[in-house]
Amino acid sequence: MSELHLPNRIRRFAVERRDRPAVTEGETTLTYGEFDSYTNRVASALTSLASAPGRVGALLRMGLPGVATFVGCAKAGFVFTPLNWRLTPGEVAAIAVDAELEVLIVESDFAASAAAVAAALPHVHIVVVGDDAAAGTRSWEEFVAAGDDNDPGWGDDPETAFLQLYTSGTTGRPKGVVAVHRNLYNVPETFALYEFEDESVSLDALPLFHIAGAGWLSTSLSAGLHTILLGEMRPALVAATIAEHHVTHTFMVPSAIGMLLELPDLANYDLSSLEVIAYGASPITPTLLARTMDTLGCRMVQRYGMTETMGALTALRSGDHDPRGTRTHLLRSAGTPLPGTEVQIRDIATGEPLPQGETGEIVSRSRNNVSGYWHRDAESAALYTEDGFLRTGDAGHLDENGYLFVTDRVKDMIITGGENVYPVEVEAVLAEHPAVAEVAVVGLPDERWGEAVTAVVRIADGVERPSEQELVAFTTGRLASYKKPQRIHLVDELPRNASGKILKRTLRATLSTSDTASR
């Protein structure tokens, strides 16, 4: 198993693919031999600041310092803890304290957050990437130069912790999810899922602090690909990078795919090299899927999972993406379980397994599942059933062929007039309206029905603005009457967290306040 761990894959490729490109950021490209040496210097430099298993924080965009720190920590027996640089300094400091960081590597753009961490953790070692380091810190160049090429040699034990990601906090205070090597290794079946070839080129423009970004990075490097690193997911930059580097594979969240397709000059970019887009992290509508395949001419692979599962539980493979064939209903599914992963549907109230077709909570058992949360014993215990299945908090059902259909978060289910409504079903119908760019559906308190199905809609640019009545009428015949939105709000922008997920909790709070004020 150890040969599948990330640090050992890099060591192996330093021999087998020594002169082949490993990572590129801007004008800088390192071969696998150079990348192995570079991460050895990072690893040895870390050991001069703290002892394993120390925790190393990173306020870094997706780029060479972040990637080198990720691999360097794994080689040195440290726990890599990428922090959400979009949070306020106070929020960053609170997570740094919770994580008990000993080292913080930070881009100079995030100096205010670094100062907040230093104030909260006076003994933390700070390394600055970018402009000249301030007093009491050292520069990235000085830090790397202080290391040597001696590999500390960690990475064989599957139970060694090496990555700590914090949940996005959409449902409360962020929790540290601790992964060990066995949770995040990549097997040949994974590479086959993405249809990687020997000369494939991967693009990673996702945040390091998100499992999609860290997981896609680990997958790409473990497969021995040439990985292009982008610090931000700007549509024009992504399109230009795909064209320049002949990118064949990438991972994108649905909102980013939509923004890429909305580029007014998209036709000016040569994206013909693109073979596969993997997507996940939030639901995608069948309409957007079909439009993506038509416009870009590439194959699609969906992965469904969460931070606590360190990536995917199921996958909808490229062969199942057929927007005009006899199996179009599969576009609404999350695919079938990955090898070695058990998926069941349990009754939300009793925890008993449910038969196919019935909706309940999705639970899973897999080597990828983490053991729990950092310093959160009660929440760690609540994460699992008595027989060892992880509770995802998602609702869904399995069909007769084993395909998983994720209907929504259990907590997002709307109970209106005694009937259960899953928002994603309403969202999928409204998203088919040609004027709708994005939609989110939530339940709001209602004196008569208990909860009212409420849709929040962003209208696409350059189209005639429909009325709320027109949008409700559009759902007639497509949804049961009790599922039709009782209220529709048109907005210019939907609130999102740093990972691009729509913040339904914020929507509920804002709309509830406005409804109360209007009474």
Side-chain angles (χ1 to χ4, degrees), residues 27-315:
E27 300 299 318
T28 301
T29 295
L30 298 182
T31 67
Y32 271 97
E34 292 168 336
F35 185 63
D36 181 55
S37 296
Y38 193 72
T39 52
N40 283 346
R41 292 196 294 274
V42 172
S44 64
L46 285 171
T47 61
S48 69
L49 299 181
S51 300
R55 280 174 157 70
V56 179
L59 277 167
L60 300 170
R61 298 180 180 92
M62 182 64 73
L64 182 56
V67 174
T69 303
F70 184 16
V71 176
C73 282
K75 285 184 170 184
F78 285 68
V79 180
F80 181 59
T81 308
L83 305 176
N84 185 344
W85 37 265
R86 290 171 177 158
L87 298 177
T88 66
E91 290 171 320
V92 170
I95 293 176
V97 170
D98 182 80
E100 300 178 1
L101 296 186
E102 298 173 60
V103 180
L104 176 66
I105 301 176
V106 55
E107 290 181 27
S108 55
D109 289 351
F110 311 130
S113 292
V117 172
L121 296 170
H123 301 297
V124 71
H125 298 279
I126 295 181
V127 177
V128 178
V129 176
D131 297 335
D132 293 339
T137 67
R138 69 189 70 188
S139 71
W140 173 255
E141 290 75 17
E142 292 171 337
F143 168 73
V144 175
D148 55 46
D149 203 32
N150 293 319
D151 187 339
W154 287 70
D156 285 329
D157 183 2
E159 300 304 319
T160 296
F162 82 112
L163 178 65
Q164 183 161 319
L165 298 176
Y166 275 79
T167 59
S168 58
T170 56
T171 59
R173 189 162 59 100
K175 299 183 289 289
V177 179
V178 182
V180 298
H181 281 292
R182 68 171 169 79
N183 299 139
L184 196 66
Y185 73 82
N186 296 283
V187 294
E189 291 86 351
T190 302
F191 306 147
L193 169 67
Y194 296 122
E195 304 174 40
F196 289 150
E197 297 180 358
D198 194 50
E199 299 295 331
S200 294
V201 178
S202 171
L203 170 65
D204 197 339
L206 296 160
L208 271 169
F209 55 77
H210 193 287
I211 182 55
W216 185 250
L217 174 64
S218 177
T219 297
S220 298
L221 292 176
S222 294
L225 305 187
H226 179 195
T227 303
I228 314 300
L229 310 171
L230 275 186
E232 49 190 331
M233 183 71 79
R234 288 193 288 113
L237 180 60
V238 169
T241 302
I242 292 172
E244 178 185 358
H245 294 282
H246 306 292
V247 169
T248 60
H249 293 71
T250 190
F251 191 110
M252 301 178 75
V253 298
S255 60
I257 295 174
M259 288 187 287
L260 179 65
L261 296 185
E262 289 175 6
L263 270 178
D265 60 344
L266 183 63
N268 295 335
Y269 297 96
D270 180 4
L271 307 184
S272 60
S273 64
L274 198 57
E275 298 175 5
V276 174
I277 294 180
Y279 65 95
S282 63
I284 192 170
T285 66
T287 302
L288 178 56
L289 263 178
R291 184 181 167 208
T292 303
M293 295 174 71
D294 287 344
T295 303
L296 300 179
C298 63
R299 301 184 295 280
M300 306 288 287
V301 174
Q302 181 191 166
R303 293 193 70 171
Y304 161 71
M306 54 197 293
T307 306
E308 288 85 345
T309 64
M310 279 295 123
L313 301 172
T314 65

Side-chain angles (χ1 to χ4, degrees), residues 388-412:
F389 280 78
L390 182 143
R391 296 184 173 98
T392 67
D394 286 336
H397 68 270
L398 290 164
D399 73 3
E400 65 277 10
N401 296 313
Y403 283 82
L404 175 68
F405 289 76
V406 183
T407 47
D408 229 308
R409 294 291 292 172
V410 169
K411 66 178 179 60
D412 286 337

Side-chain angles (χ1 to χ4, degrees), residues 313-497:
L313 301 172
T314 65
L316 187 69
R317 291 157 175 80
S318 63
D320 290 326
H321 287 74
D322 186 3
R324 294 178 183 84
T326 59
R327 306 167 74 216
T328 57
H329 67 285
L330 291 180
L331 296 180
R332 297 181 183 273
S333 83
T336 53
L338 293 174
T341 300
E342 298 176 71
V343 174
Q344 293 183 4
I345 307 298
R346 301 280 179 95
D347 185 279
I348 294 171
T350 67
E352 293 298 315
L354 294 174
Q356 68 182 40
E358 291 196 24
T359 297
E361 183 176 16
I362 302 165
V363 299
S364 77
R365 187 160 56 188
S366 165
R367 61 169 171 77
N368 297 89
N369 293 348
V370 302
S371 60
Y373 301 110
W374 174 250
H375 291 342
R376 305 281 187 90
D377 292 343
E379 288 160 296
S380 296
L383 184 61
Y384 282 91
T385 64
E386 290 184 357
D387 55 346
F389 280 78
L390 182 143
R391 296 184 173 98
T392 67
D394 286 336
H397 68 270
L398 290 164
D399 73 3
E400 65 277 10
N401 296 313
Y403 283 82
L404 175 68
F405 289 76
V406 183
T407 47
D408 229 308
R409 294 291 292 172
V410 169
K411 66 178 179 60
D412 286 337
M413 184 181 73
I414 301 167
I415 303 177
T416 180
E419 298 283 359
N420 295 344
V421 176
Y422 290 98
V424 70
E425 184 178 3
V426 185
E427 291 164 354
V429 169
L430 283 171
E432 293 176 2
H433 192 287
V436 174
E438 290 185 302
V439 57
V441 171
V442 297
L444 294 183
D446 184 89
E447 292 182 0
R448 182 179 183 183
W449 302 109
E451 286 185 294
V453 179
T454 305
V456 185
V457 174
R458 180 174 74 82
I459 302 301
D461 296 335
V463 301
E464 184 177 348
R465 191 179 182 91
S467 67
E468 296 175 17
Q469 293 75 17
E470 179 185 341
L471 291 174
V472 173
F474 181 78
T475 67
T476 300
R478 295 176 169 88
L479 290 172
S481 59
Y482 69 88
K483 297 180 182 180
K484 293 167 63 175
Q486 294 153 276
R487 307 168 191 169
I488 291 185
H489 297 263
L490 303 181
V491 297
D492 295 328
E493 189 176 6
L494 292 168
R496 299 180 184 278
N497 67 11

